[in-house]
Structures are given as structure tokens and as C-alpha cells.
Amino acid sequence: MQGITPPIATYTKDIAKKLLTLAIVNQRGQVLLGLKKRGFGEGYYNGFGGKVEVGETIEGAARRELQEEAGIVAGSILKQGVLTFHFDDKPQPWEVHVFNILDYSGEPCETDEMSPQWFSHGEIPFDKMWKDDEIWYPHFLAGDLFKGEFYFCNTHHLDSYNFGIVPEL
């Protein structure tokens, strides 16, 4: 793992994590991202995802969220990462399972929550995304498996992180 050691006293690690998914369509040198229109992360580009519901598998939640937020149905998917987010202003850490959507059916469409847009790998709008994305996205695009922990102050300021490539998830 590489990164900066977090200020342990600031963040709570002993609370059960909130389980979430993130699905990113990655095809032909492009990724499909959505501009978040409301709620947490409004105004940022991100993949598609959200909470894992009771009785739902993590992969099932990723598929459901992609359909709800982008109007498309995932075909083959590959889990590539697990990211844990700690916010000093939110007591519960988030464990986010990152999926690469290798193929899908349907046409991406705007929903109440997201406005989908294609970006070439070289033109991903990191200046309009969460600050951690610049750290792990290159590894996602390269097909690496990875894990990371990110520590945010005041929700949006990346304080510190630990990140690494792993042999398996």
C-alpha cells in the first residue's frame, strides 16, 4: 500500500461500514460516467452505483444501480476494486465495490439522478470528480485489481490515503 498515513484520531474505524457499489462502463478506450444531478456528490462525474439493499448481492446491487441510473442492463462485469472511504464529518465509513462493466444492452439515458456522458480515457474530467479518482482510475483503466482507503475532511478535501494493487479480491 502506498499513500499518506491518516490522522487516526480524526476518523472512526470501529463502526460497521456502509456497503455500496460503483459500476463503470469501460469500452473501446472510453468510459461512461454520469453527472450527479442530486444528492450526495451532486455536480460531480462518477460511475453509477449506490447502496446494497437487504437480501441483495453486491454484484446484483451494481447491476440494479446501473439500470436505475443509466437505463442500461449490464452483461459481463468484473469486480476490480474495493475502496473504503472515511469522512471526518460522517460517522460511518463506506466500503465501495468497484465493477468494470464489459458489455451492456440498451442505450444510456438521462435519469432523475444522473446524466450519462462518454469520455475517452485521456479526457476523463478529474477536475469535476472526487479527488480520490485520480489515484485509482488509472489502475482501473489498466485492468488492475486494487484496494484503497481514503480519508476526507469536510466531505470533499482528501486528507490522506493508502492504496495498492492486489493479486485477488
Side-chain angles (χ1 to χ4, degrees), residues 54-67:
V54 174
E56 190 173 41
T57 66
I58 295 171
E59 181 180 315
R63 290 175 179 280
R64 174 184 52 76
E65 289 283 353
L66 181 66
Q67 187 167 11

Side-chain angles (χ1 to χ4, degrees), residues 1 4 16 22 50 98 102 149 154:
M1 297 294 244
I4 305 165
L22 186 62
V98 182
L102 304 172
E149 279 196 83
N154 297 322

Side-chain angles (χ1 to χ4, degrees), residues 38-50:
R38 62 184 169 100
F40 188 80
E42 181 178 349
Y44 285 140
Y45 281 100
N46 206 348
F48 306 90

Side-chain angles (χ1 to χ4, degrees), residues 65-163:
E65 289 283 353
L66 181 66
Q67 187 167 11
E68 288 175 2
E69 294 182 350
I72 57 178
V73 176
S76 300
I77 71 174
L78 173 66
K79 184 173 172 179
Q80 274 190 243
V82 178
L83 304 172
T84 303
F85 296 95
H86 302 270
F87 300 94
D88 69 338
D89 55 351
K90 299 184 184 333
Q92 189 176 32
W94 295 7
E95 181 178 286
V96 179
H97 294 254
V98 182
F99 291 89
N100 188 343
I101 307 304
L102 304 172
D103 59 68
Y104 66 91
S105 59
E107 285 297 317
C109 63
E110 187 167 345
T111 64
D112 289 343
E113 194 163 343
M114 301 286 264
S115 179
Q117 185 176 343
W118 287 101
F119 294 94
S120 70
H121 286 182
E123 295 179 359
I124 294 173
F126 288 117
D127 61 328
K128 297 176 183 166
M129 297 170 71
W130 289 96
K131 295 300 178 199
D132 60 280
D133 292 345
E134 290 182 87
I135 296 161
W136 62 266
Y137 253 85
H139 298 282
F140 171 83
L141 297 175
D144 296 329
L145 302 181
F146 53 86
K147 287 188 177 182
E149 279 196 83
F150 297 89
Y151 297 82
F152 283 85
C153 178
N154 297 322
T155 305
H156 301 280
H157 175 75
L158 180 58
D159 235 5
S160 60
Y161 66 91
N162 292 298
F163 181 83

